[in-house]
Amino acid sequence: MVQEIAIGHQTVRREPVPAEEAVVQVQNLSLFYGKHQALYNVSINFPRNKITAIIGPSGCGKSTLLRSLNRMNDLVPGVRLEGKVIYEGIDIYDPQVDPVEVRRHIGMVFQKPNPFPKSIFENVAFGLRLQGQKAGLEQAVQRALERAALYEEVKDKLGEVALRLSGGQQQRLCIARAIATEPPLLLLDEPTSALDPIATERIEELLLELKKRFSLVIVTHNMQQAARIADRTAFMHLGVLIEEGPTNEIFTVPRDPRTEAYVTGRFG
């Protein structure tokens, strides 16, 4: 359904992502941590082979929404959820759906690089081994490292402990580990917030390359980053999805005064 919004003398035609183009559909999602409600009736479609950025001030529900997309919130005691998250036509919160299987299809990269205390090779091979893959491990690990733009830097030290890598290299290793099993959707929770500007630039370049093969949803507090790499942007405030749409429209002709105040730096 096309939304026409009058802003000043302009009329903005804000088109949501059609269901048939979405890798994930969030429908009327509310989430509670015990008695505290963290998300309020959120509905949004995330498109295939695009980067969607979720922005908003601290504590607004960005990471909670992201973690709802692959049931990571299940690991928090007292969580209760209402609504649906539809991935490839399946409600991932259906009682018959195994959350471990969900996470095999929907990978995740966290804010702080978290390589295992294993070799570089074994870090990337970890998920493949869990799936029972034995043949072709070397090729699969190399392919993942190449896609993460890391292989040329580590090809001669794959047997070394991954913790010896720099912060930026560790984060690219975590991305390689996440994509080694070819998940159609990759979630990234502030993946560059702990990195320096040079490492951040490399990660951003990598994400732009990865969207050719994967769908990506990124939580970021960096609005410049969202403007640089995201195809669509969603703005959240106090657990509510205020608005979402093409990134250039969210930043130039936001329809809600709260969005305008945030993207122009008046709060947040």
Side-chain angles (χ1 to χ4, degrees):
M1 179 180 177
V2 178
Q3 297 172 315
E4 292 195 355
I5 309 111
I7 301 177
H9 298 294
Q10 301 182 63
T11 299
V12 179
R13 291 173 58 84
R14 188 67 54 78
E15 299 186 20
V17 175
E20 62 271 15
E21 296 178 13
V23 63
V24 168
Q25 302 169 61
V26 177
Q27 300 176 354
N28 306 115
L29 184 69
S30 294
L31 186 139
F32 303 80
Y33 294 117
K35 295 182 179 179
H36 170 68
Q37 186 166 358
L39 296 177
Y40 294 82
N41 201 36
V42 174
S43 294
I44 181 174
N45 290 347
F46 293 99
R48 302 176 192 277
N49 297 106
K50 303 288 185 184
I51 299 175
T52 302
I54 305 174
I55 64 171
S58 297
C60 70
K62 302 186 300 291
S63 293
T64 297
L65 175 58
L66 189 77
R67 291 165 182 259
S68 298
L69 302 182
N70 70 342
R71 296 189 58 170
M72 287 296 290
N73 285 320
D74 288 15
L75 306 176
V76 180
V79 163
R80 179 169 60 86
L81 181 140
E82 299 173 356
K84 294 183 178 181
V85 177
I86 308 296
Y87 168 74
E88 300 292 14
I90 297 172
D91 181 1
I92 67 171
Y93 285 93
D94 185 296
Q96 298 184 21
V97 173
D98 181 359
V100 175
E101 190 64 26
V102 169
R103 294 176 201 132
R104 289 178 179 170
H105 289 265
I106 305 175
M108 191 159 190
V109 176
F110 297 93
Q111 179 175 359
K112 184 179 179 181
N114 61 338
F116 302 141
K118 300 173 178 285
S119 70
I120 295 169
F121 181 91
E122 288 301 328
N123 263 270
V124 182
F126 182 80
L128 297 167
R129 292 191 190 280
L130 281 182
Q131 291 186 355
Q133 181 171 337
K134 296 179 180 179
L137 272 180
E138 291 79 8
Q139 295 90 334
V141 168
Q142 178 175 336
R143 182 168 59 248
L145 287 168
E146 287 174 343
R147 288 176 178 166
L150 186 60
Y151 181 70
E152 289 302 318
E153 298 172 39
V154 301
K155 62 182 180 181
D156 296 323
K157 47 185 178 183
L158 294 177
E160 295 185 13
V161 176
L163 298 175
R164 295 178 182 174
L165 297 173
S166 70
Q169 289 175 321
Q170 287 186 17
Q171 193 63 303
R172 280 184 283 146
L173 178 67
C174 292
I175 292 174
R177 186 176 67 199
I179 64 176
T181 56
E182 301 274 349
L185 176 61
L186 184 63
L187 312 177
L188 303 107
D189 194 357
E190 304 221 24
T192 63
S193 63
L195 304 181
D196 61 54
I198 294 176
T200 293
E201 182 180 9
R202 296 203 67 177
I203 295 291
E204 289 180 0
E205 291 172 350
L206 169 59
L207 299 183
L208 289 170
E209 185 65 25
L210 287 177
K211 77 173 183 178
K212 297 175 184 177
R213 295 188 59 88
F214 305 94
S215 307
L216 297 96
V217 180
I218 178 172
V219 162
T220 180
H221 69 281
N222 186 330
M223 288 182 289
Q224 291 76 22
Q225 181 173 78
R228 285 192 296 265
I229 69 171
D231 300 286
R232 296 183 72 89
T233 295
F235 171 63
M236 296 192 67
H237 183 50
L238 299 177
V240 177
L241 176 63
I242 303 300
E243 63 178 301
E244 68 90 17
T247 295
N248 64 323
E249 293 182 9
I250 295 295
F251 280 92
T252 58
V253 284
R255 70 171 183 254
D256 191 286
R258 290 167 292 183
T259 311
E260 182 179 14
Y262 184 74
V263 300
T264 56
R266 295 205 296 274
F267 86 95

